[in-house]
């Protein structure tokens, strides 16, 4: 199966950012390098994934169909990011209970005028979580500590236990996370997309290339190779 690597998300003061590379792997083969791993669901929600790309496509189709059915009712009710997250969670748990799970970890983010920014994740068996920062896959091990350190540092510096990063601070730490993934995760690439949700818009950005540096001593082939 074609699969995607880690996804990383973080809230900032006034919005939320979500980042993922555009690489699909077939086992250890880097198969396709320019495949978006995010999808816009409705007008205010973005879904991203780690895991099986086919299951992500199936989940995206399921959510878009649900939104279309709701729109056909013409009752003025719209799906919020939190509502889509809950619907997806119940669907994931239902499929797991039938022993036909989607082999994915999902992250849902968005903005609603009543609830503000939303950021949450779930795994393939229906365990869900929300927070100021979330990550899937290998990013849960190497990115969350960086994000939490930045957020806790902001709270300590301002003396406000509810303080969030600025947009520039969030973007900087997010790019540091992507660099760490590219250097350390075997299923990551340096081509990535960043999605953003604010009160003004919810959008997925164009692919960009990370500015990386392979001149560090630890990356030198002569120092790490077995065969000289």
């Amino acid at each position: 199966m074609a699969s995607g690597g880690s996804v990383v998300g973080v809230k900032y003061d006034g919005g939320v950012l979500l980042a993922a590379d555009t690489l699909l792997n077939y086992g250890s083969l880097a198969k396709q390098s320019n495949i978006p791993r995010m999808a816009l669901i409705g007008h205010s929600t973005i879904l991203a994934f780690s895991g099986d790309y086919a299951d992500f496509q199936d989940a995206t189709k399921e959510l878009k169909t649900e939104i279309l059915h709701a729109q056909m009712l013409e009752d003025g009710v719209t799906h919020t990011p939190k509502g889509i997250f809950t619907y997806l969670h119940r669907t994931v748990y239902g499929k797991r209970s039938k022993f036909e799970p989607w082999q994915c970890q999902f992250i849902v983010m968005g903005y609603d005028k009543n609830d503000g920014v939303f950021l949450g994740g779930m795994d393939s068996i229906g365990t869900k979580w929300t927070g100021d920062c979330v990550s899937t896959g290998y990013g849960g091990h190497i990115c969350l500590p960086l994000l939490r350190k930045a957020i806790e540092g902001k709270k300590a510096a301002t003396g406000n236990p509810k303080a969030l990063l600025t947009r520039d601070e969030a973007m900087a730490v997010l790019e540091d996370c992507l660099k760490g993934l590219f250097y350390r995760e075997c299923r990551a690439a340096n081509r990535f997309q960043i999605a953003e949700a604010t009160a003004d818009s919810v959008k997925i950005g164009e692919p960009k290339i990370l500015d990386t540096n392979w001149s560090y001593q630890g990356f030198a082939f002569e120092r790490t190779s077995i065969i000289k």
Side-chain angles (χ1 to χ4, degrees):
M1 69 179 185
S3 60
S6 301
V7 182
V8 187
V10 61
K11 291 181 181 179
Y12 67 88
D13 189 12
V16 57
L17 296 171
L18 188 65
D21 65 33
T22 60
L23 178 66
L24 285 186
N25 302 280
Y26 187 78
S28 60
L29 171 68
K31 186 176 182 181
Q32 294 171 298
S33 62
N34 192 25
I35 303 297
R37 294 198 291 118
M38 304 178 186
L40 182 63
I41 308 297
H43 301 291
S44 61
T45 307
I46 289 175
L47 175 69
F49 83 103
S50 296
D52 185 11
Y53 185 61
D55 285 345
F56 169 67
Q57 291 177 306
D58 193 27
T60 301
K61 180 180 178 181
E62 171 78 21
L63 291 175
K64 289 185 176 181
T65 300
E66 170 63 21
I67 288 177
L68 180 60
H69 286 166
Q71 291 174 343
M72 292 171 63
L73 295 176
E74 296 183 345
D75 57 3
V77 177
T78 58
H79 283 69
T80 65
K82 186 176 181 179
I84 290 174
F85 179 76
T86 301
Y87 179 86
L88 178 63
H89 170 253
R90 300 316 302 162
T91 304
V92 167
Y93 186 80
K95 293 183 71 65
R96 172 254 191 176
S97 299
K98 296 176 183 177
F99 295 95
E100 49 182 29
W102 282 327
Q103 297 294 338
C104 291
Q105 289 182 308
F106 297 104
I107 290 182
V108 176
M109 79 157 198
Y111 188 94
D112 178 67
K113 62 181 180 180
N114 295 320
D115 298 329
V117 295
F118 178 84
L119 180 63
M122 69 186 72
D123 61 19
S124 61
I125 62 173
T127 303
K128 64 176 180 177
W129 59 92
T130 60
D132 292 336
C133 58
V134 298
S135 185
T136 62
Y138 193 56
H141 300 283
I142 65 174
C143 293
L144 283 183
L146 295 175
L147 294 168
R148 288 170 178 164
K149 181 179 179 181
I151 293 171
E152 292 302 320
K154 185 70 173 183
K155 292 178 180 179
T158 60
N160 180 2
K162 295 184 178 181
L164 294 173
L165 302 173
T166 66
R167 186 183 185 279
D168 290 342
E169 290 170 339
M171 188 68 74
V173 71
L174 205 58
E175 290 192 6
D176 283 344
C177 290
L178 291 170
K179 288 179 183 179
L181 289 172
F182 180 53
Y183 290 144
R184 300 298 182 186
E185 185 179 19
C186 297
R187 306 294 184 266
N190 62 340
R191 184 184 180 91
F192 68 98
Q193 286 180 288
I194 291 182
E196 183 172 13
T198 66
D200 297 324
S201 65
V202 177
K203 59 184 179 181
I204 300 174
E206 293 297 320
K208 299 179 181 179
I209 303 297
L210 277 173
D211 182 18
T212 55
N213 183 0
W214 291 97
S215 64
Y216 298 115
Q217 283 190 347
F219 293 145
F221 176 76
E222 294 80 8
R223 297 176 61 86
T224 59
S225 61
I226 298 175
I227 299 173
K228 301 295 184 181

